[in-house]
Protein backbone atom coordinates (compact mmCIF):
# COMPACT_ATOMS: atom_id res chain seq x y z
CA UNK A 1 0.00 0.00 0.00
CA UNK A 2 1.49 3.36 -0.95
CA UNK A 3 1.86 6.31 1.43
CA UNK A 4 -0.72 9.12 1.21
CA UNK A 5 -0.32 11.33 -1.85
CA UNK A 6 -2.08 14.33 -3.29
CA UNK A 7 -2.40 12.64 -6.67
CA UNK A 8 -2.67 8.88 -7.14
CA UNK A 9 0.40 6.71 -7.35
CA UNK A 10 1.34 5.50 -10.81
CA UNK A 11 -0.03 1.91 -11.16
CA UNK A 12 3.04 1.00 -13.18
CA UNK A 13 4.91 1.26 -9.87
CA UNK A 14 2.15 -0.20 -7.69
CA UNK A 15 2.53 -3.95 -7.44
CA UNK A 16 3.50 -6.37 -4.73
CA UNK A 17 7.05 -7.51 -5.61
CA UNK A 18 6.31 -6.61 -9.19
CA UNK A 19 3.20 -8.80 -9.45
CA UNK A 20 -0.49 -8.41 -8.58
CA UNK A 21 -1.51 -10.39 -5.53
CA UNK A 22 -3.13 -13.75 -6.21
CA UNK A 23 -5.44 -15.53 -3.80
CA UNK A 24 -4.54 -18.98 -2.53
CA UNK A 25 -6.92 -21.45 -4.17
CA UNK A 26 -7.25 -24.91 -5.58
CA UNK A 27 -7.35 -25.07 -9.36
CA UNK A 28 -10.93 -26.09 -10.11
CA UNK A 29 -13.09 -25.24 -13.08
CA UNK A 30 -15.11 -22.08 -13.68
CA UNK A 31 -16.66 -20.22 -16.58
CA UNK A 32 -15.15 -17.65 -18.90
CA UNK A 33 -18.19 -16.45 -20.76
CA UNK A 34 -19.81 -19.64 -22.00
CA UNK A 35 -16.53 -21.58 -21.96
CA UNK A 36 -15.36 -23.80 -19.11
CA UNK A 37 -11.80 -22.96 -18.04
CA UNK A 38 -9.49 -23.67 -15.13
CA UNK A 39 -9.75 -21.15 -12.32
CA UNK A 40 -6.07 -20.30 -12.72
CA UNK A 41 -6.70 -19.40 -16.37
CA UNK A 42 -9.78 -17.17 -15.92
CA UNK A 43 -7.93 -14.21 -14.40
CA UNK A 44 -5.41 -14.28 -17.24
CA UNK A 45 -8.18 -14.50 -19.84
CA UNK A 46 -10.05 -11.58 -18.28
CA UNK A 47 -6.81 -9.62 -18.14
CA UNK A 48 -6.33 -10.10 -21.88
CA UNK A 49 -9.86 -8.83 -22.54
CA UNK A 50 -9.34 -5.62 -20.59
CA UNK A 51 -5.81 -5.11 -21.86
CA UNK A 52 -7.37 -5.09 -25.30
CA UNK A 53 -10.28 -2.74 -24.60
CA UNK A 54 -8.71 -0.39 -22.01
CA UNK A 55 -7.90 2.51 -24.33
CA UNK A 56 -11.45 2.61 -25.78
CA UNK A 57 -13.29 1.56 -22.64
CA UNK A 58 -14.99 4.86 -21.79
CA UNK A 59 -15.96 5.58 -25.39
CA UNK A 60 -17.42 2.10 -25.79
CA UNK A 61 -19.38 2.44 -22.54
CA UNK A 62 -21.00 5.61 -23.85
CA UNK A 63 -21.79 4.08 -27.23
CA UNK A 64 -23.03 0.72 -25.95
CA UNK A 65 -25.22 2.11 -23.18
CA UNK A 66 -26.25 5.25 -25.09
CA UNK A 67 -24.83 7.18 -22.15
CA UNK A 68 -27.09 5.52 -19.58
CA UNK A 69 -24.15 4.05 -17.65
CA UNK A 70 -23.53 7.54 -16.31
CA UNK A 71 -27.01 7.66 -14.78
CA UNK A 72 -26.60 4.17 -13.31
CA UNK A 73 -23.29 5.17 -11.74
CA UNK A 74 -24.80 8.30 -10.23
CA UNK A 75 -27.27 6.07 -8.41
CA UNK A 76 -24.40 3.88 -7.12
CA UNK A 77 -22.49 6.95 -5.93
CA UNK A 78 -25.55 8.20 -4.03
CA UNK A 79 -26.19 4.74 -2.55
CA UNK A 80 -22.71 4.67 -1.00
CA UNK A 81 -23.92 7.38 1.39
CA UNK A 82 -20.59 9.19 1.63
CA UNK A 83 -20.00 12.62 3.09
CA UNK A 84 -17.11 14.94 3.99
CA UNK A 85 -14.24 13.03 5.60
CA UNK A 86 -15.45 9.59 4.50
CA UNK A 87 -13.24 6.70 3.40
CA UNK A 88 -14.19 4.67 0.34
CA UNK A 89 -12.73 1.76 -1.59
CA UNK A 90 -13.67 1.46 -5.28
CA UNK A 91 -12.87 -2.03 -6.55
CA UNK A 92 -12.36 -2.85 -10.24
CA UNK A 93 -12.10 0.92 -10.54
CA UNK A 94 -10.82 0.77 -14.11
CA UNK A 95 -10.87 4.25 -15.59
CA UNK A 96 -11.72 5.69 -12.13
CA UNK A 97 -14.92 7.56 -12.93
CA UNK A 98 -16.46 6.51 -9.60
CA UNK A 99 -13.25 7.33 -7.72
CA UNK A 100 -13.28 10.84 -9.18
CA UNK A 101 -16.89 11.34 -8.12
CA UNK A 102 -16.22 9.96 -4.64
CA UNK A 103 -13.32 12.37 -4.17
CA UNK A 104 -15.79 15.21 -4.57
CA UNK A 105 -18.05 13.65 -1.95
CA UNK A 106 -15.43 13.05 0.77
CA UNK A 107 -13.44 16.23 0.18
CA UNK A 108 -9.89 17.02 1.29
CA UNK A 109 -10.32 15.31 4.66
CA UNK A 110 -11.59 12.07 3.13
CA UNK A 111 -9.78 9.14 1.53
CA UNK A 112 -10.42 7.43 -1.79
CA UNK A 113 -8.77 4.21 -2.93
CA UNK A 114 -9.11 3.01 -6.53
CA UNK A 115 -8.02 -0.59 -7.04
CA UNK A 116 -8.02 -2.95 -9.98
CA UNK A 117 -6.34 -6.24 -10.82
CA UNK A 118 -5.77 -5.03 -14.39
CA UNK A 119 -2.78 -2.74 -14.84
CA UNK A 120 -3.84 -1.45 -18.28
CA UNK A 121 -7.25 -0.35 -17.04
CA UNK A 122 -5.86 1.28 -13.91
CA UNK A 123 -3.22 3.07 -15.98
CA UNK A 124 -6.05 4.66 -17.96
CA UNK A 125 -7.71 5.59 -14.68
CA UNK A 126 -4.48 7.07 -13.33
CA UNK A 127 -4.27 9.35 -16.38
CA UNK A 128 -7.77 10.62 -15.61
CA UNK A 129 -6.90 11.19 -11.94
CA UNK A 130 -3.88 13.23 -12.98
CA UNK A 131 -5.84 15.18 -15.59
CA UNK A 132 -8.58 16.09 -13.11
CA UNK A 133 -6.22 16.69 -10.18
CA UNK A 134 -8.16 14.18 -8.10
CA UNK A 135 -6.87 13.30 -4.65
CA UNK A 136 -6.96 9.50 -4.60
CA UNK A 137 -4.68 6.51 -4.22
CA UNK A 138 -4.42 3.56 -6.56
CA UNK A 139 -3.26 -0.01 -6.10
CA UNK A 140 -3.08 -3.06 -8.33
CA UNK A 141 -4.60 -5.82 -6.21
CA UNK A 142 -7.05 -8.71 -6.27
CA UNK A 143 -10.50 -8.14 -4.78
CA UNK A 144 -10.47 -11.72 -3.52
CA UNK A 145 -7.48 -10.90 -1.26
CA UNK A 146 -7.62 -7.19 -0.43
CA UNK A 147 -4.50 -5.69 1.24
CA UNK A 148 -6.49 -3.64 3.76
CA UNK A 149 -7.25 -4.13 7.44
CA UNK A 150 -10.70 -4.98 8.77
CA UNK A 151 -13.22 -2.16 9.29
CA UNK A 152 -11.23 0.41 7.29
CA UNK A 153 -13.79 2.01 4.95
CA UNK A 154 -17.19 3.66 5.19
CA UNK A 155 -18.14 2.08 1.87
CA UNK A 156 -16.79 -0.39 -0.67
CA UNK A 157 -18.09 -0.27 -4.23
CA UNK A 158 -17.71 -2.23 -7.44
CA UNK A 159 -19.27 -1.24 -10.75
CA UNK A 160 -19.36 -3.61 -13.72
CA UNK A 161 -16.54 -5.71 -12.29
CA UNK A 162 -18.01 -8.40 -10.05
CA UNK A 163 -19.12 -10.62 -12.93
CA UNK A 164 -15.51 -10.94 -14.11
CA UNK A 165 -14.25 -12.25 -10.76
CA UNK A 166 -13.52 -15.95 -10.41
CA UNK A 167 -14.88 -16.27 -6.87
CA UNK A 168 -17.63 -13.70 -6.42
CA UNK A 169 -18.39 -14.99 -2.93
CA UNK A 170 -14.81 -14.36 -1.82
CA UNK A 171 -14.85 -10.88 -3.30
CA UNK A 172 -18.08 -10.02 -1.48
CA UNK A 173 -16.72 -11.35 1.82
CA UNK A 174 -13.59 -9.25 1.38
CA UNK A 175 -15.64 -6.14 0.68
CA UNK A 176 -17.68 -6.81 3.81
CA UNK A 177 -14.53 -7.41 5.85
CA UNK A 178 -12.86 -4.09 5.01
CA UNK A 179 -16.01 -2.00 5.58
CA UNK A 180 -16.65 -0.68 9.10
CA UNK A 181 -19.77 -1.79 11.01
CA UNK A 182 -22.65 0.23 9.60
CA UNK A 183 -20.76 0.78 6.34
CA UNK A 184 -22.16 -0.09 2.94
CA UNK A 185 -21.21 -2.46 0.14
CA UNK A 186 -22.51 -1.29 -3.23
CA UNK A 187 -22.56 -3.48 -6.34
CA UNK A 188 -23.55 -2.05 -9.73
CA UNK A 189 -23.63 -4.71 -12.40
CA UNK A 190 -25.33 -5.87 -15.57
CA UNK A 191 -28.06 -8.30 -14.66
CA UNK A 192 -30.97 -10.33 -16.01
CA UNK A 193 -33.38 -8.23 -18.02
CA UNK A 194 -37.15 -8.56 -18.09
CA UNK A 195 -38.39 -11.37 -20.30
CA UNK A 196 -40.36 -9.02 -22.52
CA UNK A 197 -37.18 -7.28 -23.73
CA UNK A 198 -34.91 -10.36 -23.78
CA UNK A 199 -35.15 -11.09 -27.57
CA UNK A 200 -34.18 -7.51 -28.42
CA UNK A 201 -31.46 -7.44 -25.75
CA UNK A 202 -29.98 -10.73 -27.02
CA UNK A 203 -29.83 -9.37 -30.56
CA UNK A 204 -28.19 -6.21 -29.27
CA UNK A 205 -25.69 -8.15 -27.13
CA UNK A 206 -24.59 -10.84 -29.55
CA UNK A 207 -24.79 -8.94 -32.83
CA UNK A 208 -24.48 -5.19 -32.23
CA UNK A 209 -21.99 -5.25 -29.33
CA UNK A 210 -19.37 -7.45 -31.08
CA UNK A 211 -19.85 -5.55 -34.35
CA UNK A 212 -19.30 -2.18 -32.65
CA UNK A 213 -16.37 -3.61 -30.70
CA UNK A 214 -14.72 -4.65 -33.95
CA UNK A 215 -15.24 -1.21 -35.50
CA UNK A 216 -14.28 1.02 -32.56
CA UNK A 217 -11.94 -1.08 -30.41
CA UNK A 218 -10.74 -3.47 -33.11
CA UNK A 219 -11.82 -6.43 -30.96
CA UNK A 220 -14.95 -8.44 -31.68
CA UNK A 221 -14.22 -11.40 -29.41
CA UNK A 222 -13.70 -9.38 -26.23
CA UNK A 223 -17.15 -7.84 -26.60
CA UNK A 224 -18.71 -11.22 -27.26
CA UNK A 225 -17.12 -12.39 -24.00
CA UNK A 226 -18.60 -9.39 -22.20
CA UNK A 227 -22.06 -10.31 -23.51
CA UNK A 228 -21.60 -13.93 -22.42
CA UNK A 229 -20.30 -12.92 -18.98
CA UNK A 230 -23.50 -10.97 -18.34
CA UNK A 231 -25.60 -14.08 -19.02
CA UNK A 232 -23.45 -16.16 -16.65
CA UNK A 233 -23.71 -13.62 -13.83
CA UNK A 234 -26.16 -14.42 -11.01
CA UNK A 235 -29.62 -12.90 -11.29
CA UNK A 236 -30.78 -10.17 -8.93
CA UNK A 237 -32.23 -12.41 -6.21
CA UNK A 238 -29.26 -14.80 -6.27
CA UNK A 239 -26.73 -11.99 -5.96
CA UNK A 240 -28.71 -10.49 -3.08
CA UNK A 241 -28.54 -13.84 -1.28
CA UNK A 242 -24.80 -14.07 -1.94
CA UNK A 243 -24.38 -10.66 -0.30
CA UNK A 244 -26.33 -11.84 2.75
CA UNK A 245 -24.16 -14.95 2.97
CA UNK A 246 -21.09 -12.70 2.80
CA UNK A 247 -22.25 -11.10 6.06
CA UNK A 248 -24.31 -8.12 4.89
CA UNK A 249 -27.75 -7.16 6.15
CA UNK A 250 -30.61 -5.07 4.79
CA UNK A 251 -29.70 -6.12 1.26
CA UNK A 252 -31.89 -4.68 -1.47
CA UNK A 253 -31.63 -4.12 -5.20
CA UNK A 254 -32.99 -1.69 -7.74
CA UNK A 255 -33.36 -2.45 -11.44
CA UNK A 256 -32.48 0.00 -14.19
CA UNK A 257 -33.53 -0.06 -17.85
CA UNK A 258 -35.77 -3.15 -17.71
CA UNK A 259 -33.32 -5.05 -15.51
CA UNK A 260 -30.40 -4.70 -17.91
CA UNK A 261 -28.51 -3.22 -14.96
CA UNK A 262 -29.10 -3.66 -11.22
CA UNK A 263 -27.83 -1.85 -8.14
CA UNK A 264 -27.39 -3.98 -5.01
CA UNK A 265 -26.71 -2.45 -1.58
CA UNK A 266 -25.95 -4.12 1.75
CA UNK A 267 -24.89 -2.94 5.20
CA UNK A 268 -22.29 -4.47 7.52
CA UNK A 269 -23.92 -5.26 10.87
CA UNK A 270 -23.06 -3.10 13.88
Amino acid sequence: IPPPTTVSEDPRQMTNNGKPQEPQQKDGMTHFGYSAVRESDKARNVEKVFDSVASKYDLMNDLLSFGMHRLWKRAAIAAAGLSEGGKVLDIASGTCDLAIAFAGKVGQTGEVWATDINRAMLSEGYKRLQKTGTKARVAVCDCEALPFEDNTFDAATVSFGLRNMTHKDRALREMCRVVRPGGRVVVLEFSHCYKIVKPIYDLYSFVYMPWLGSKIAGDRESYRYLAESIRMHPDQATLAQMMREAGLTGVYWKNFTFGVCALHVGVKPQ
Side-chain angles (χ1 to χ4, degrees):
I1 302 174
T5 54
T6 301
V7 181
S8 307
E9 302 285 356
D10 188 334
R12 290 169 293 185
Q13 308 296 324
M14 281 300 303
T15 55
N16 181 19
N17 296 324
K19 298 179 180 179
Q21 294 188 19
E22 294 184 2
Q24 298 296 316
Q25 61 187 52
K26 294 182 179 179
D27 195 17
M29 299 298 291
T30 188
H31 61 82
F32 175 73
Y34 289 160
S35 302
V37 298
R38 292 192 178 277
E39 290 180 346
S40 59
D41 292 333
K42 179 169 180 175
R44 288 190 288 270
N45 291 344
V46 171
E47 182 177 19
K48 290 177 183 177
V49 167
F50 286 95
D51 282 349
S52 174
V53 304
S55 64
K56 301 291 184 180
Y57 186 78
D58 287 330
L59 173 61
M60 288 295 293
N61 276 351
D62 280 330
L63 293 173
L64 290 173
S65 73
F66 306 102
M68 288 187 292
H69 75 100
R70 298 178 184 274
L71 300 177
W72 302 336
K73 288 173 181 176
R74 285 181 194 172
I77 292 161
L82 294 163
S83 58
E84 183 76 25
K87 297 178 68 174
V88 59
L89 171 65
D90 187 37
I91 290 163
S93 195
T95 55
C96 293
D97 44 358
L98 260 66
I100 292 168
F102 285 139
K105 292 284 187 181
V106 303
Q108 291 298 310
T109 59
E111 187 173 318
V112 178
W113 278 90
T115 70
D116 203 302
I117 198 171
N118 186 275
R119 182 187 300 270
M121 288 293 293
L122 202 54
S123 293
E124 293 297 321
Y126 175 68
K127 294 175 187 176
R128 292 190 65 195
L129 293 173
Q130 285 189 310
K131 184 177 180 179
T132 57
T134 300
K135 178 188 174 184
R137 309 181 197 180
V138 301
V140 176
C141 64
D142 190 338
C143 181
E144 296 179 17
L146 291 169
F148 302 102
E149 295 184 359
D150 298 357
N151 307 321
T152 297
F153 299 98
D154 297 301
T157 64
V158 58
S159 63
F160 307 113
L162 185 66
R163 75 182 186 281
N164 296 309
M165 296 173 189
T166 304
H167 303 99
K168 298 172 182 63
D169 54 343
R170 293 184 190 177
L172 291 169
R173 286 197 299 270
E174 279 290 271
M175 293 175 76
C176 182
R177 178 183 66 79
V178 301
V179 168
R180 64 167 176 79
R184 300 181 188 183
V185 171
V186 177
V187 180
L188 183 67
E189 187 56 88
F190 291 114
S191 197
H192 290 225
C193 68
Y194 302 163
K195 289 183 179 180
I196 193 170
V197 299
K198 188 176 184 299
I200 296 172
Y201 186 49
D202 284 346
L203 181 67
Y204 162 85
S205 299
F206 292 103
V207 177
Y208 177 70
M209 276 178 59
W211 174 83
L212 191 64
S214 69
K215 298 299 181 183
I216 303 298
D219 189 342
R220 175 183 294 272
E221 290 306 311
S222 288
Y223 282 91
R224 181 168 183 85
Y225 158 74
L226 294 176
E228 292 177 359
S229 71
I230 294 168
R231 272 53 178 195
M232 298 301 292
H233 187 64
D235 64 20
Q236 290 89 327
T238 302
L239 179 55
Q241 183 58 29
M242 291 174 67
M243 291 177 70
R244 296 184 190 103
E245 292 172 358
L248 298 164
T249 60
V251 176
Y252 68 91
W253 75 84
K254 181 178 181 180
N255 285 323
F256 300 115
T257 317
F258 306 105
V260 167
C261 178
L263 174 68
H264 285 69
V265 182
V267 178
K268 185 170 181 175
Q270 294 282 358

